[in-house]
Structures are given as C-alpha cells and as structure tokens.
Amino acid sequence: MMKCICSGEHLTVDEIIPSSESLATRDYSASGYSSRAGEPDPKLDTSNIEEAESSLRESGFLNYEEARALLGRLEYQKGNIEGALRVFEGIDIAAVIPKIKTTIARRCELPRRHSQSDATPPMSIHAASLLFEAIFLKAKSLQALGRFTDAAQSCKVILDTVESAIPDGLPENFAFDCKFLETLNKAVELLPELWKLSYTPQEAILAYRRALLYQWNLDIETRTKVEKDFAIFLLYSGNDATPPNLRVQMEGAFIPRNNIEEAVLLLLLILRKFSLRRIGWDPSILNHLFFALSIAGEFRSLAYQVEELPPGIIEGKEKYISLAMCYYAEGDNVIALNLLRNLLNNREHHNSIFELLLASKICTEIPNCLEEGLGYIDKLLSEVDGKCNEMASIANWLLGVSLSVQSRGVGSDSQRMSRQSKALEALETAQRMTKEKNVSVLFHLSLENAEQRKLDVALYYAKQLLKLEAGSSIKGWILLARILSAQKRYADAENIIDAALDETGKWDQGELLRTKAKLQIAQGNLRNSIETYTKLLAVLQVQRKGFGIQKKLLKNRRNNDRSLEMETWHDLANVYTSLCQWRDAETCLSKSEAISSHSASRWHSTGLLYEAKGLQKEALKSFGKALDIEPNHVPSLISTAVVLRQLSDQSLPVAKSFLTDALRLERTNPSAWYNLGLLYKSDGNSAMEAVECFEAAALLQESAPVEPFR
C-alpha cells in the first residue's frame, strides 16, 4: 500500500511490499506524530485494514487515491487534523469525481439483462464510498481549522456528484453499502452548518432546501434534525429567505411565502411524524411552533395544533392556559374566559396566580364581566399579599383599570366619582410598588388623571413614561401630545409629534400623522392639515401594496390600518366640508365607502355634509343610519339632537333624550353639554339648568384635547 502511495500506480495483491520510507511515514513525522515502520500503534483502527482488504478483494489492487483515503482517515481518527488534511489534499478529486459519478449512475440503473458489450464501471462501489468519505473528512478537517468556506466547497462536491449522477434522486431500494449512505447523510447535514459558519446565510438556506427537496434517502433522524435546524434558522437568524423555486410542483401545492410560513411548515411536518410515532417527542418543537405562529398572528391555528396534540404531551392545566392565551390573542375573549373558569373552578388546581391574572385582565375588556373580574383581583391580592410585590403591583394595576372602566358605565355622579377615586388610588399604589418602573402602570395613571382633568399630574406621568420607554412607544407620544393639546399648548404638542415622527419608522407613523393633522385643525391651519392627511393616505396605500406581496403584517395590524385609512377619509371629508368644497368631500366619502359600506363614522360625515348644504332632513336620515349601525355613536347622537332642535320645537324632548344618552356614554363631551344648554334655554322655564350646562361646557372645553384621551 505504501509503495502504491509513492508511485501513484496500481499495486496488485502479490506486489505489496512494506517500506519504512513511505509517504505515510513522511507525512506522519512531519506532523509531530512520528512512529517507526512496523511498530504497533495503540490507536490503530482495524477498520482501516478491513477497508483495504475489501478493496483488494474486489479489484485485486489498491490505487493511489484509495490508499490516501485510508491513510487520511487514520490521521483524522488520531486527531492529527493538519496531517490528515495534507494527505487528503494529495487526492486528485477532479480526476476521481467522473469515475465516482459513472459508478453511482450505473449502480442505480434499473435491473436489465446485461450484454457482454456493457462497459465495466471504472471503479468498485466500495472504492467510491471510500473516496466519498475522504472528501467528507477533508471538509471536517477544514472546518476544524476554521476554513469554513473551503470546507463547504469540499462538502458540496459530494452532493453535486450524487445529484449529477442521479438527477431524479436516489431510488428507495438503493443498494449501496451502508457506509456510502452514512457519509451522504452526514454531508447533507453538514453543508448548511458550514455555510452558516462562513457567514453566507443565503447559501445556508439553499443548502437546507436542497437537503429537504432532493431524494437523498436520509434516515428519519437526520431528516428531522435538518428540518428542525432549518426552522430555527428561519425564525431567529434575521435573514429573509426568498420563496423556494421548485422545479416540480403539484398544482395547488402550498409554497411558503416568507420565513415564518416556511418555518411553520417544517415544524408541522415534524409534529406529524411524532403523531405517527415515527420519532420521539421533542418539547422544543412546540416552543418554536408557538413562537412562529404567534409572530404570524395565527393564534387560532396555534390553538388547533394544541388541541390536536396526543394525550400526555401537555398536562391539562398547561393546555387550558395555552388555549386561553391563543383565543384571547385572537380576540375571542369569552372562549378564553370560559377556559380559565374551568381551571379556577377546579379545586384540584392550586397556585392559580397566572390564571387569576389573565382572567381579571380579560374581564376588564368585557363590560358584563367587570364584577367577576374584581372578584378575581380580590383573590389574587389575597394570594400574593406579603409574598410577591411584583404580582401585587400588577393586581393593583388591574384593579385600577377595572374600576376606571366600571366608572364610565354608572349613571350616578357620586358612584362615578367614587370609583374614579378608587381607581386612582389603586394605580398610585401600583406605581409606588414598582417605583415608576412599569410602563403599563405609568400609562394608565397618566390616562386616568387626564380623564379626570388633572392635567398637570397627567403630564408628569406621561413624561416619566416617555423617559422610561426612551420614545419607543407610539401611544406614549400620542398621550403626551393630547395632554398638551388639552392645555391648549398646540404648538408644543405638534413639536412632540414631529419628534415622534423622527424617531419612528415610516410604516408606524399613521396615528402620529392623524394626530398632527388634528392639531393643525385646532390651530386653524386647514390647508396644512389637508397636506398631512394626504401624506398619511399615501403611506397607508404604499404600505398596503408592499405588504400585500410579502404578507408580513399581522391580521390585526392590517385591520387597524384599514380602519385608520377609513377614518382618515372621514376626517378629510369633514375638513373639505368646513371649507365648502362639496365635491372633494363627496370624493373622500366614496373612497371610504369602498373600504366599508357599514360605517357609523362615514354616515355621520355624510350627515355633516348635508347639514352644511342646508339639507336638514337628508342630514337627519344620515345620522339615523349611523345610529342604526352603532347605537352608541356619540357624535351622531349629538348631531341628531342639533338637527331636531333646528327643525321643530316639538322635537325638543326627543332631542333632549339623544343628548342625555350622549352624556351617559361620554360625560366630558363639551358639545353635548352646550347643546343641552341650548335646549334648556329654548324651553324658557329652565334658565338655571341652561346656565349649569353652559358652565360645564365652558369648563370642559378649556381642557378638551384634540382627540379623546382613550
């Protein structure tokens, strides 16, 4: 074998002559692992001898490349990476690849009657397997030495050779020896890892797809690992993967359009194999799937996957909580609350702090469940009392939010003020416990003070919130601008919005631009407001077209943007109406109708247009249609009362009922108080009530923001 290495010629069985000056000895000595010929090496792997014997039995000789492959493997096994690499680099890969390719292709041909004219393969399948292993170990050696790109190129040779020899993939009854398949499995798994190490993410993505789309006859463990690694890379690498370009595609087949969809598909394939009992359970798969579907906003799909899991994977309590969170995120609050009720009513379940937190949070968003939510908060406070200040602060925050929501639904002024006072007290307790380090507590504390017209205190907490968030939250900027507008500091409020626009990405500027336009209207700059609204609409339209292709927005984000676009058309129509530009106002309303024909706000703007034209009856019909869609639409209630008062004195009691309903829903609306005062004044016998209404309207108007605080 050593003589063969030195000469580069074939060596027959009868000509094997040992030599102490062989290439193996020279390479071995040069690398620092010198040993004399004939001395037994304690680390010698007998598989090398068996490989040599197999090659000799098959072909009667061991050529130069095969001998180097065996010697390189021995060096690699001994840990002599540099020595192994020198031996492997002596193999003329460009010369042996065509022979390996021909051998593989002929081995995979369909069985047929061979004639004497059939050419003999240029090398045995065992020799091809041996050389493939040498190429793979060369890649591993280069990897160990930090030469990742060279390693990837070496590993890629193996895959290119097999794909070129068998374009349609390896047949299922592949008859090669197991060593060949083992090397192929390892090479397929290694290549994307090498591209990642060489900081070429797009090559890694292509390698992953190549591993999964070509028929390599991978064992199920290897394929599952590749699928999992690829899904993790797609989710967390930060590199966008273009959609795969499949050569063969069934009609109607699903093609993932972005990283999230492709990762979800891979994780679902792994879950499917587990359900079929083909692989063991891996808990991390479910964690990655939760993350991927949450990012995509597919919470209902996530709930379905949780429900379809075989029994025993997730315990009952964890399953109920996961499902409740999915349905809550999807907006199905009632379903989520029912799931949590099942847990909270089960006496076997103890330590239900998280369930109480989530249930009480959901109850704040369901008007009919506020009392139930307060009961959960009381239980939560009793469980965490003296044990966990953080949980106690969250419980007090939820208590403040719940009392604030409840205060807006009571009819008695004394009850409302009592609940508002308790809400502030609970929020201040939460603030003290968190030492002004909780953004949710600061936001609601500022909001509640603003609602109660304690504007200086609200401004202080809004500034603290903005400082704590470092300007990262749009709602913090908007709240601060609204408080400043309530103090009639419109220029300062507009400067705040401009600063927020400088700190915010273009796709997140919608609400900021709308607030800026309303500030400009409050200052009488109607033309400037039109320009701002036009810019906002342009951003929304470009955003919709761009994301319509890439599909990266969450469903609720898309819905919010459509709602914002519709309301912007209404605002713009109202501006044109105030400028008596009827045709422009009608155009804006037609644009809004194309988005949604059932909008109370659109019918209200239509009514304002008719009213400005002097068409009172048509305006009244429009306001009525708005109330048919949304009975509690406060602007339409007020406008209906105004038109009724103008049409006939006999309608004053009906108009009064509309204004009373408006004030029940929005106690701090100055327009409702002012128009109620006009009704009392028209009555002639209610001068004192009229004065009180006018005083309330004037007081509220002095502290009214350009947009409602909530």
Side-chain angles (χ1 to χ4, degrees):
M1 183 173 74
M2 303 310 175
K3 182 178 179 181
C4 172
I5 294 174
C6 294
S7 64
E9 299 175 354
H10 296 310
L11 188 62
T12 62
V13 179
D14 298 331
E15 294 174 340
I16 296 179
I17 303 172
S19 170
S20 61
E21 299 298 322
S22 68
L23 175 63
T25 305
R26 293 199 300 274
D27 283 352
Y28 208 50
S29 300
S31 60
Y33 290 87
S34 176
S35 64
R36 295 184 180 179
E39 286 186 1
D41 193 315
K43 297 181 181 178
L44 184 62
D45 189 343
T46 58
S47 63
N48 292 283
I49 299 173
E50 293 171 358
E51 296 280 359
E53 290 177 349
S54 297
S55 289
L56 291 170
R57 282 195 301 269
E58 286 190 21
S59 58
F61 60 82
L62 189 67
N63 66 18
Y64 179 78
E65 284 79 12
E66 295 168 37
R68 274 192 170 271
L70 288 172
L71 180 60
R73 185 213 282 176
L74 178 62
E75 296 288 331
Y76 183 85
Q77 290 173 342
K78 287 177 172 289
N80 183 16
I81 303 301
E82 294 181 357
L85 182 58
R86 280 196 293 273
V87 175
F88 289 137
E89 287 178 338
I91 300 175
D92 189 353
I93 294 178
V96 300
I97 287 300
K99 300 177 184 178
I100 296 175
K101 191 184 302 182
T102 303
T103 299
I104 296 173
R106 291 186 180 175
R107 189 62 176 265
C108 290
E109 288 177 355
L110 293 175
R112 59 186 176 85
R113 183 177 297 176
H114 294 275
S115 65
Q116 293 181 353
S117 62
D118 288 340
T120 304
M123 67 170 59
S124 69
I125 191 59
H126 181 81
S129 176
L130 185 63
L131 291 169
F132 256 16
E133 184 190 27
I135 299 172
F136 174 75
L137 291 179
K138 178 182 177 182
K140 292 289 290 181
S141 301
L142 290 166
Q143 178 189 9
L145 295 173
R147 296 167 57 183
F148 303 121
T149 302
D150 293 338
Q153 295 293 350
S154 179
C155 189
K156 186 172 178 289
V157 169
I158 300 174
L159 277 61
D160 290 344
T161 302
V162 175
E163 275 195 332
S164 178
I166 323 169
D168 296 329
L170 276 67
E172 293 184 4
N173 57 347
F174 193 57
F176 286 11
D177 64 347
C178 61
K179 190 68 176 177
F180 183 93
L181 285 176
E182 180 185 344
T183 302
L184 191 58
N185 273 245
K186 290 179 179 178
V188 170
E189 182 182 347
L190 178 64
L191 183 58
E193 298 298 324
L194 293 174
W195 286 126
K196 287 193 294 184
L197 290 170
S198 64
Y199 301 105
T200 49
Q202 293 304 318
E203 290 291 344
I205 291 169
L206 292 176
Y208 274 124
R209 288 175 176 164
R210 183 182 193 181
L212 298 173
L213 295 175
Y214 183 80
Q215 181 63 36
W216 299 105
N217 279 3
L218 299 177
D219 60 74
I220 192 167
E221 289 80 12
T222 300
R223 184 175 183 84
T224 301
K225 186 178 185 305
V226 171
E227 289 170 343
K228 177 183 175 182
D229 291 345
F230 189 22
I232 292 173
F233 184 75
L234 289 168
L235 289 175
Y236 310 115
S237 68
N239 295 282
D240 289 332
T242 56
N245 184 15
L246 303 183
R247 291 179 297 175
V248 180
Q249 177 185 339
M250 294 177 61
E251 185 176 354
F254 173 74
I255 302 297
R257 295 165 293 187
N258 52 50
N259 287 34
I260 301 298
E261 288 189 358
E262 194 164 1
V264 168
L265 177 61
L266 293 167
L267 295 169
L268 290 178
L269 289 173
I270 297 174
L271 274 185
R272 175 67 175 168
K273 283 185 279 190
F274 166 73
S275 298
L276 296 173
R277 308 292 184 185
R278 298 176 62 191
I279 59 172
W281 175 241
D282 181 358
S284 66
I285 297 300
L286 203 56
N287 295 334
H288 297 308
L289 184 62
F290 275 27
F291 174 78
L293 289 174
S294 298
I295 291 297
E298 294 293 338
F299 300 103
R300 193 175 298 278
S301 299
L302 180 54
Y304 174 78
Q305 292 301 323
V306 173
E307 291 171 347
E308 289 297 308
L309 285 174
I313 297 302
I314 301 182
E315 62 172 318
K317 180 178 179 179
E318 183 181 354
K319 186 173 184 177
Y320 272 94
I321 292 175
S322 298
L323 288 173
M325 293 178 69
C326 289
Y327 285 114
Y328 175 58
E330 193 67 26
D332 295 328
N333 292 352
V334 175
I335 298 177
L337 186 57
N338 285 334
L339 289 166
L340 292 170
R341 284 168 177 162
N342 289 335
L343 283 177
L344 294 171
N345 293 334
N346 190 335
R347 296 180 180 179
E348 295 180 1
H349 291 152
H350 304 287
N351 190 21
S352 302
I353 292 177
F354 180 78
E355 295 92 302
L356 289 169
L357 271 175
L358 185 56
S360 56
K361 177 70 168 65
I362 295 173
C363 286
T364 62
E365 301 173 20
I366 305 177
N368 296 333
C369 297
L370 288 174
E371 286 295 336
E372 181 182 356
L374 290 171
Y376 292 140
I377 294 172
D378 287 340
K379 290 181 182 178
L380 181 60
L381 285 170
S382 64
E383 287 198 19
V384 301
D385 185 30
K387 298 178 182 178
C388 179
N389 281 343
E390 185 176 355
M391 283 295 179
S393 68
I394 295 175
N396 277 286
W397 165 63
L398 288 172
L399 178 60
V401 173
S402 298
L403 290 170
S404 176
V405 174
Q406 197 178 48
S407 70
R408 296 193 293 275
V410 297
S412 167
D413 287 343
S414 60
Q415 288 181 340
R416 184 180 64 257
M417 293 177 65
S418 174
R419 282 172 172 76
Q420 287 178 340
S421 177
K422 290 179 180 178
L424 268 182
E425 183 181 346
L427 290 171
E428 288 169 353
T429 300
Q431 176 262 333
R432 286 194 300 272
M433 298 181 77
T434 58
K435 299 179 181 179
E436 295 190 1
K437 299 298 182 183
N438 187 305
V439 293
S440 296
V441 173
L442 284 173
F443 177 80
H444 282 92
L445 194 53
S446 175
L447 184 61
E448 189 61 30
N449 276 287
E451 282 278 311
Q452 298 184 31
R453 296 303 192 263
K454 300 175 181 179
L455 297 180
D456 290 336
V457 181
L459 182 63
Y460 167 78
Y461 286 121
K463 289 181 177 180
Q464 293 299 109
L465 171 66
L466 199 63
K467 181 179 178 181
L468 184 61
E469 291 181 326
S472 62
S473 172
I474 293 175
K475 67 178 185 179
W477 289 103
I478 291 177
L479 178 59
L480 178 58
R482 288 173 180 172
I483 294 170
L484 289 171
S485 73
Q487 294 179 328
K488 309 308 175 190
R489 297 165 58 183
Y490 298 122
D492 291 340
E494 190 172 351
N495 289 335
I496 287 293
I497 295 298
D498 288 335
L501 290 170
D502 292 338
E503 297 291 330
T504 308
K506 182 178 293 185
W507 304 134
D508 297 320
Q509 293 181 353
E511 290 290 349
L512 292 169
L513 288 170
R514 189 182 183 203
T515 301
K516 180 176 181 177
K518 293 197 172 186
L519 287 167
Q520 291 169 334
I521 292 171
Q523 297 174 79
N525 301 325
L526 298 185
R527 296 296 177 185
N528 291 341
S529 72
I530 292 174
E531 293 179 6
T532 304
Y533 279 129
T534 303
K535 181 179 179 181
L536 168 56
L537 290 168
V539 169
L540 290 174
Q541 290 177 13
V542 171
Q543 178 177 332
R544 185 174 68 251
K545 291 179 181 179
F547 286 116
I549 298 172
Q550 300 180 24
K551 304 294 183 183
K552 290 185 178 178
L553 281 181
L554 301 181
K555 290 185 295 184
N556 57 353
R557 170 67 183 273
R558 291 198 297 270
N559 293 336
N560 290 340
D561 286 345
R562 295 294 284 176
S563 176
L564 176 61
E565 182 180 359
M566 184 171 65
E567 294 302 325
T568 300
W569 284 118
H570 300 160
D571 291 346
L572 196 54
N574 294 340
V575 173
Y576 283 129
T577 297
S578 65
L579 293 171
C580 299
Q581 297 179 218
W582 316 130
R583 189 176 298 277
D584 290 331
E586 290 169 355
T587 301
C588 292
L589 291 173
S590 66
K591 294 285 187 180
S592 165
E593 187 176 11
I595 298 174
S596 175
S597 58
H598 300 285
S599 167
S601 179
R602 184 176 69 83
W603 281 112
H604 179 254
S605 295
T606 303
L608 292 178
L609 178 59
Y610 282 130
E611 188 180 2
K613 290 181 177 181
L615 304 173
Q616 305 292 351
K617 292 184 178 179
E618 286 79 358
L620 190 61
K621 290 179 181 178
S622 295
F623 297 142
K625 289 179 180 179
L627 292 173
D628 288 340
I629 296 172
E630 189 178 331
N632 292 333
H633 191 248
V634 173
S636 296
L637 289 170
I638 297 172
S639 296
T640 300
V642 170
V643 174
L644 286 173
R645 182 178 62 82
Q646 293 172 349
L647 286 175
S648 172
D649 291 340
Q650 295 179 353
S651 302
L652 293 183
V654 180
K656 182 179 178 182
S657 68
F658 279 107
L659 291 173
T660 303
D661 288 342
L663 287 171
R664 176 179 53 82
L665 295 167
E666 195 175 308
R667 197 69 178 174
T668 57
N669 191 302
S671 178
W673 283 109
Y674 175 74
N675 283 286
L676 185 60
L678 291 177
L679 286 179
Y680 281 125
K681 182 181 178 182
S682 301
D683 186 22
N685 298 321
S686 305
M688 186 63 67
E689 288 84 350
V691 169
E692 291 177 353
C693 289
F694 289 142
E695 287 178 347
L699 183 63
L700 290 170
Q701 186 61 43
E702 289 179 0
S703 58
V706 293
E707 294 177 299
F709 290 115
R710 295 187 187 275

